[in-house]
Amino acid sequence: MNGTRNDIANAHLNNRVGPVLRQGALAKAVAEAAEVDNPDKTITIDDKVAYVRISTEGEMILRRTTIEEMLGKSFQMNELEVELSSFSGRIENGAEQIRFYFEKTF
């Protein structure tokens, strides 16, 4: 229990960003795309059986073309919204890419 309290107390120090997706083919493709589109980052994939949390520090870019390549079929970025249960950080989305980022505003 004490470890959980420390995690909560230090949550404001967390700079992790990224999507939380329902388990399935799209989640797998997005996890693979995250690795390809962010080669200088360490991507963490936390499989919780029903959902997958994909995260990294500071900023994550996901490109439509990379997700298409991983899925092996045509894909529109707005399809991601259906499977996106949640996300951490801020989000900036467009037709060709989505960006998750952390920005302190204090």
Side-chain angles (χ1 to χ4, degrees), residues 28-78:
K28 184 176 190 256
V30 168
E32 292 170 350
E35 296 277 356
V36 171
D37 288 340
N38 302 277
D40 59 331
K41 300 275 188 170
T42 300
I43 305 297
T44 302
I45 300 160
D46 193 8
D47 185 343
K48 298 291 191 177
V49 182
Y51 67 91
V52 177
R53 180 180 300 274
I54 305 162
S55 65
T56 193
E57 288 289 323
E59 179 183 51
M60 179 187 296
I61 304 289
L62 297 169
R63 293 182 176 82
R64 182 190 57 77
T65 55
T66 310
I67 296 171
E68 277 185 339
E69 184 180 326
M70 299 306 150
L71 278 174
K73 65 178 187 174
S74 178
F75 176 78
Q76 299 299 313
M77 290 306 285
N78 62 0

Side-chain angles (χ1 to χ4, degrees), residues 67-105:
I67 296 171
E68 277 185 339
E69 184 180 326
M70 299 306 150
L71 278 174
K73 65 178 187 174
S74 178
F75 176 78
Q76 299 299 313
M77 290 306 285
N78 62 0
E79 295 175 59
L80 188 64
E81 294 172 16
V82 176
E83 300 295 320
L84 189 65
S85 304
S86 185
F87 62 92
S88 54
R90 293 181 176 219
I91 189 169
E92 181 180 277
N93 58 344
E96 296 302 314
Q97 75 175 29
I98 189 166
R99 175 181 174 233
F100 299 93
Y101 63 101
F102 178 79
E103 178 179 89
K104 284 189 177 180
T105 56

